[in-house]
Amino acid sequence: MNNKTLFLVGGALILLLLFYLIKIPVTICKVNNETFIIKNKNFQIEWIHSVEKEKWIEKYKRENNKLVLTNTILKAFGAGTPYNAKVINNNNESIELEINRKLDNINLIISKEIKTTIIIDKKEISLYKIFEPYTEMEIYVEKLNLINYYRKESLYEKFSGERYRKCR
C-alpha cells in the first residue's frame, strides 16, 4: 500500500469510529416494540381532557437528557390543573401556564376518545387514527451515535404525507 491509500483508509476508519463514538440526545417514541425519533427539539402533545371534555396542549422541549414540560394550554382550571403554575396568558379562549418541569419520560395512552395527537413543527400526527385504542407510547430522551441516529425513522416522516393519509 502506498502512503496515499494508507492515509485514505486511515481517515475513513477514523471517520467511521467518530460516527460510532459521537452521541447526540434524541427524543425517542416507543410504541408496539417499534422506536421512532422526534428530530425537533420541541414538540407538543394534544388531547381532550377526560373530565372537562376540553382540549389540553402540553408543550415539551428536549434539554440535555431530559424532557421538559414547558407550558400547558387549557380552557379552564379544573381537574388535573397544576396548582403552582404561573399564568402567562389568559384570554377568552384559553389559559397558558408556565410549568418548566423536568421529566425522565412520558407515558401516553393513545385513545380515540381523547384524540391523542403529537404536534411537531406545527404539523399534527393524530396517533389515535394510526394506532389501536389504548396502545401505550413511551417518550424519552436517549443518546444515539450518529450511525443509529440516521438509521432510525422519524415519527413525523413515518406518519405524514402519503403514508399518513393512507393510515386515516
Side-chain angles (χ1 to χ4, degrees), residues 34-37 124-126 129-131 151-168:
E34 288 187 272
T35 58
F36 306 99
I37 62 173
E124 293 185 2
I125 301 170
S126 300
K129 293 179 180 178
I130 299 167
F131 298 102
R151 289 176 58 205
K152 287 278 184 204
E153 194 163 23
S154 152
L155 184 72
Y156 175 73
E157 291 164 359
K158 170 79 174 181
F159 298 112
S160 66
E162 284 304 310
R163 288 183 179 175
Y164 176 66
R165 281 192 273 286
K166 288 178 185 173
C167 291
R168 285 184 166 180

Side-chain angles (χ1 to χ4, degrees), residues 11-32:
L13 287 174
I14 289 171
L15 191 59
L16 187 61
L17 184 63
L18 286 175
F19 270 85
Y20 274 104
L21 294 177
I22 294 175
K23 293 187 175 189
I24 56 173
V26 176
T27 305
I28 303 283
C29 297
K30 186 175 183 182
V31 59
N32 293 337

Side-chain angles (χ1 to χ4, degrees), residues 24-128:
I24 56 173
V26 176
T27 305
I28 303 283
C29 297
K30 186 175 183 182
V31 59
N32 293 337
N33 295 317
E34 288 187 272
T35 58
F36 306 99
I37 62 173
I38 296 177
K39 292 182 178 180
N40 298 46
K41 199 172 194 174
N42 300 305
F43 65 96
Q44 299 175 23
I45 299 174
E46 178 181 296
W47 76 95
I48 304 300
H49 192 283
S50 62
V51 175
E52 299 171 352
K53 306 298 185 208
E54 296 287 350
K55 180 174 26 174
W56 277 46
I57 301 170
E58 291 185 333
K59 296 181 178 182
Y60 291 90
K61 72 177 177 180
R62 182 180 62 240
E63 192 173 275
N64 300 317
N65 295 330
K66 298 277 188 185
L67 295 168
V68 179
L69 170 57
T70 59
N71 298 41
T72 299
I73 300 171
L74 43 103
K75 190 79 166 178
F77 290 100
T81 304
Y83 67 92
N84 57 351
K86 177 182 172 186
V87 176
I88 58 173
N89 188 11
N90 188 355
N91 57 45
N92 292 337
E93 295 178 19
S94 64
I95 301 164
E96 186 167 0
L97 305 173
E98 182 179 286
I99 308 293
N100 289 321
R101 181 174 164 208
K102 292 183 179 181
L103 304 165
D104 291 324
N105 64 332
I106 303 164
N107 291 304
L108 268 181
I109 302 295
I110 298 168
S111 168
K112 287 182 185 345
E113 289 80 25
I114 64 169
K115 297 183 177 359
T116 315
T117 302
I118 288 185
I119 302 166
I120 302 170
D121 200 24
K122 298 183 181 179
K123 296 172 184 87
E124 293 185 2
I125 301 170
S126 300
L127 300 173
Y128 66 96

